[in-house]
């Protein structure tokens, strides 16, 4: 290592605050710190700035209507189409030749769609959906991996006003059925399979298995042929090949449907504390305006940038920051099908070099894996095109932040650590890269116009340095509007805890713990409900527990998150076998399979610990905190309040012994 690098490393280790480079600030979309006051003084009209990034069919009358809070309505009276905003208007503005989507397949093949190409594909698939009988407001389920047909299908749905419900391709057949049943969705777009680490992976069998559990008639299923001859499969009578249908409709033009600002754009299911996933409803205007605004202000996206978010479109990050936000701004967005370590551990850096990526947005879990693999992989590539880096999904530890800053950003790119959720639609707490100082490990202040505060259990704001609960005290355009067909659960999950209903004061509770410093910077500590965050993906412990107790031979189970070097958190399952069954490898395998079948491989337990008893309080409640400490290898506190303190040592030995 050169002396210069040694110095830099030593300096980085000690440094606690970083200023954005002057060269970045000079060109930043937002570089005036006055924006915070401006938004506060002019709230809620400040959000016109976000709405101005869109093209409206009919101008809106009112920015915010709050008479039916917390069922807020944004930009009421306005009409628009999301697909028009993401495609047509850029073509009309003369940018038809600009790349919209640059797709990198896992096997090394690429597909480039200009805005003009994207318009043709989306029109053809929108015409296909219409032919199949899809009408405005019909929910279309998209169970697809990272193939270009996924964003094409999303935008085609948006074009005809049919909300989409994307189900992550890694989810199980059962998870697909649950979501289709909940949304009463009669149309499905899926894929025969896809590649993982070079091998073809069957997706259609899993799809068909899921379809068997759908409790209503599914009219049509469209199947993308990704694997060609690699996978033989038959199509049922209501199943159609994507290419056959689309080829028939090539050249068709489908007029984008004018949607009311508050019409649903899509549904996205996410895990909650109960076994039933929650159908988060996002709307056309507020969501699109908010994702466009945050893409502009935080990700600093310009139309001539090449931007890459390495998330999967099956999660909210991909919806907001691969598809809707970046395309609304008319930029070029990269989409990668595969894993970061195939064929080699430098795949992502190769893609950045090749496409001269300006902005890169990824998850801390990926950064921790890159650190583990070593800096020699990024060093093999010229990453000097990068201007800005981002992270999302979980807390990033300062060490990983600094590694990212130095080895990917070359010490010259600001990093935005963005806190947000499926429910918030877009970023809520993060630095503005052209304005704020960065503090590794701390996401930053709430964005302009967002009133986020850290409170104690009584709802009183905590002093700087203390931990409390993150709460949001005014609404924002990208917020969820409700849980699909479940207004009651919407209120009880997010609003009941801290709102004063009588006074009509509504406080949104995201169920995260956090602390705040003297500068108003927020450090998010993690979930305070029974939800764990594995590799930036939210999993409900109840969902996993119910999968485990469904396995023959299991009497009781408790699932908690334990610290993990790379994944952030990992799933730990403590299981009591039923009388007559033994806690052996056989039962362990069945538990793992049971979880994979019910949810998917992402929920696979890191460890299954058999125990004759679970630690319980005298009132019979399982002491989850204690189980978490055991899983994380933390020192165990006082166990004397337990009904059965003697089980704790046995369980801890079992965990450490593995
Ligand atoms: O606990 C927070 C964590 O991820 C949760 C939201 O998960 P999901 O809805 O799946 O959306 C993930 C992508 C937006 C939050 O409640 N989280 C997200 N971003 C951060 C974070 N925790 C700490 N720092 C972040 N930057």
């Amino acid at each position: 290592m050169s002396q210069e690098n040694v110095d830099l490393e030593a300096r980085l280790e000690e440094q606690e605050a970083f200023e954005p480079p002057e060269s970045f600030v000079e060109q930043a979309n937002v570089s005036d710190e006055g924006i915070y006051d401006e938004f506060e003084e002019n709230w809620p009209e400040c959000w016109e700035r976000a709405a101005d990034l869109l093209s409206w069919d009919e101008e809106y009358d009112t920015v915010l209507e709050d008479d039916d809070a917390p069922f807020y309505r944004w930009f009421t009276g306005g009409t628009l189409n999301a697909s028009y905003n993401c495609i047509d208007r850029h073509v009309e503005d003369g940018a038809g030749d600009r790349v919209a989507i640059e797709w990198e397949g896992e096997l090394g093949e690429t597909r480039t769609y200009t805005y003009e190409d994207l318009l043709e594909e989306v029109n053809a698939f929108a015409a296909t959906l219409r032919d199949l009988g899809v009408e405005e407001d019909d929910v279309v389920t998209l169970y697809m991996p990272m193939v270009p047909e996924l964003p094409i299908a999303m935008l085609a749905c948006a074009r005809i006003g049919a909300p989409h419900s994307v189900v992550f391709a890694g989810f199980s057949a059962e998870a697909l059925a649950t979501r289709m049943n909940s949304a009463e969705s009669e149309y499905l777009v899926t894929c025969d399979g896809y590649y993982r680490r070079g091998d073809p992976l069957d997706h259609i069998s899993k799809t068909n298995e899921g379809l068997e559990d759908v409790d209503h008639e599914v009219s049509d299923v469209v199947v993308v042929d990704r694997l060609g001859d690699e996978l033989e499969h038959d199509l049922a009578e209501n199943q159609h090949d994507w290419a056959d249908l689309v080829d028939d409709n090539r050249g068709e033009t489908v007029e984008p449907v004018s949607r009311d600002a508050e019409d649903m754009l899509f549904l996205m299911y996410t895990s909650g504390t109960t076994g039933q996933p929650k159908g988060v409803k996002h709307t056309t205007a507020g969501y699109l305006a908010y994702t466009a605004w945050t893409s502009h202000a935080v990700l600093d996206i310009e139309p001539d940038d090449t931007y890459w978010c390495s998330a999967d479109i099956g999660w909210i990050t991909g919806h907001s920051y691969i598809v809707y936000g970046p395309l609304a701004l008319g930029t070029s967005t990269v989409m990668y099908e595969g894993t970061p370590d195939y064929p080699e551990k430098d795949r992502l850096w190769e893609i950045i070099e090749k496409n001269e990526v300006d902005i890169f947005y990824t998850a801390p879990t990926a950064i921790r894996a890159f650190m583990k693999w070593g800096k020699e992989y990024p060093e093999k590539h010229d990453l000097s095109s990068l201007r800005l880096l981002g992270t999302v999904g979980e807390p990033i530890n300062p060490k990983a932040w600094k590694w990212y800053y130095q080895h990917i950003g070359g010490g010259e790119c600001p990093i935005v650590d963005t806190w947000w959720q499926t429910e918030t639609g877009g970023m809520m707490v993060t630095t503005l890269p052209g304005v704020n100082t960065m503090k590794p490990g701390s996401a930053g202040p709430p964005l302009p116009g967002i009133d986020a505060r850290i409170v104690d259990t009584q709802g009183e704001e905590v002093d700087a340095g203390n931990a409390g609960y993150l709460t949001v005290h005014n609404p924002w355009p990208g917020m969820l509007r409700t849980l699909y067909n479940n207004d009651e659960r919407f209120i009880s999950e997010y609003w009941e805890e801290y709102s004063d209903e009588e006074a009509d004061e509504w406080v949104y509770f995201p169920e995260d713990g956090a602390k705040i410093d003297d500068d108003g910077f927020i450090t998010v500590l993690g979930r305070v409900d029974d939800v764990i965050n594995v590799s930036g993906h939210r999993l409900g412990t109840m969902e996993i527990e119910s999968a485990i107790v469904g396995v023959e031979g299991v009497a009781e189970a408790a699932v908690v998150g334990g610290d993990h070097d790379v994944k952030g958190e990992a799933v730990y399952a403590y299981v009591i076998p039923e009388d007559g069954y033994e806690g052996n490898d056989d039962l362990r395998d069945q538990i793992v399979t049971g979880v994979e079948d019910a949810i998917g491989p992402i929920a696979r337990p890191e460890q299954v610990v058999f125990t004759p008893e679970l630690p319980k309080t005298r009132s019979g409640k399982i002491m989850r905190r204690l189980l978490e400490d055991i899983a994380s290898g933390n020192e165990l506190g006082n166990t004397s309040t337990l009904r059965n303190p003697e089980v704790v040592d046995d369980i801890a030995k079992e965990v450490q012994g593995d």
Side-chain angles (χ1 to χ4, degrees), residues 124-169:
F125 195 60
T128 300
L129 290 174
R130 280 243 171 109
D131 282 355
L132 292 174
V134 179
E135 291 182 1
E136 214 177 323
D137 295 319
D138 285 346
V139 176
V140 179
T141 302
L142 310 177
Y143 187 39
M144 297 163 87
M146 288 289 280
V147 290
E149 289 83 354
L150 174 54
I152 289 168
M154 290 163 77
L155 293 162
C157 287
R159 197 167 191 85
I160 61 169
H164 52 73
S165 163
V166 179
V167 178
F168 173 58

Side-chain angles (χ1 to χ4, degrees), residues 181-444:
N181 288 338
S182 161
E184 293 160 356
S185 173
E186 292 175 8
Y187 298 91
L188 174 67
V189 186
T190 184
C191 208
D192 60 344
Y194 50 104
Y195 291 95
R196 263 302 163 270
R197 298 203 163 78
D199 293 326
L201 201 88
D202 179 0
H203 187 64
I204 189 72
S205 306
K206 195 166 72 167
T207 305
N208 287 334
E209 213 182 294
L211 284 169
E212 278 172 26
D213 289 332
V214 174
D215 57 17
H216 53 269
E217 198 189 327
V218 175
S219 321
D220 295 279
V221 180
V222 182
V223 186
V224 173
D225 180 4
R226 166 77 183 112
L227 295 180
D229 296 339
E230 296 245 34
L231 185 88
E232 291 295 326
H233 66 97
D234 298 321
L235 292 179
E237 209 171 303
N238 67 344
Q239 299 188 334
H240 324 274
D241 178 60
W242 167 292
D244 286 349
L245 297 184
V246 166
D247 285 347
D248 286 346
N249 282 307
R250 203 160 283 289
E252 291 284 326
T253 311
V254 175
E255 204 44 44
V257 171
S258 254
R259 296 282 279 169
D260 187 274
E262 282 292 306
D263 277 344
M264 174 158 60
L265 178 61
F266 67 87
L267 255 183
M268 163 125 262
Y269 283 89
T270 187
S271 294
T273 29
T274 73
Q276 275 300 316
K278 305 183 278 197
V280 170
K281 174 182 163 182
H282 281 295
T283 54
T284 309
Y287 172 83
L288 197 62
Y290 198 69
T291 51
W293 163 250
T294 44
S295 296
H296 167 84
V298 181
L299 293 172
D300 199 48
I301 290 177
E302 291 278 6
D304 58 5
D305 281 329
T306 299
Y307 158 81
W308 183 19
C309 166
S310 72
D312 191 295
I313 295 177
W315 306 97
I316 192 71
T317 305
H319 278 53
S320 301
Y321 299 113
I322 297 179
V323 183
Y324 287 110
L327 294 180
L329 296 183
T331 199
S332 304
T333 175
V334 176
M335 184 178 165
Y336 174 48
E337 179 187 34
T339 46
D341 55 351
Y342 184 84
E344 289 298 332
K345 295 190 174 72
D346 64 344
R347 185 66 192 269
L348 302 192
W349 321 128
E350 182 189 88
I351 293 175
I352 289 182
E353 179 173 15
K354 188 178 132 207
N355 293 288
E356 297 180 35
V357 170
D358 299 275
I359 302 156
F360 180 59
Y361 190 36
T362 193
T365 190
I367 298 167
R368 289 190 295 265
F370 306 149
M371 275 174 81
K372 224 174 179 170
W373 298 340
K375 62 181 188 307
E376 55 272 30
Y377 293 100
E379 271 171 4
K380 280 200 254 175
H381 297 275
D382 177 4
L383 305 180
S384 61
S385 59
L386 289 169
R387 174 173 97 239
L388 175 69
L389 300 173
T391 77
V392 56
E394 30 165 350
I396 179 163
N397 45 313
K399 206 169 165 196
W401 193 101
K402 290 176 182 178
W403 190 93
Y404 193 35
Y405 184 74
Q406 182 181 3
H407 297 290
I408 308 304
E412 288 179 356
C413 302
I415 296 179
V416 284
D417 169 0
T418 60
W419 176 88
W420 58 291
Q421 306 181 297
T422 304
E423 292 86 342
T424 68
M427 301 157 177
M428 300 287 282
V429 177
T430 170
T431 50
L432 285 169
V435 175
N436 305 105
T437 303
M438 296 164 275
K439 300 184 191 182
S442 174

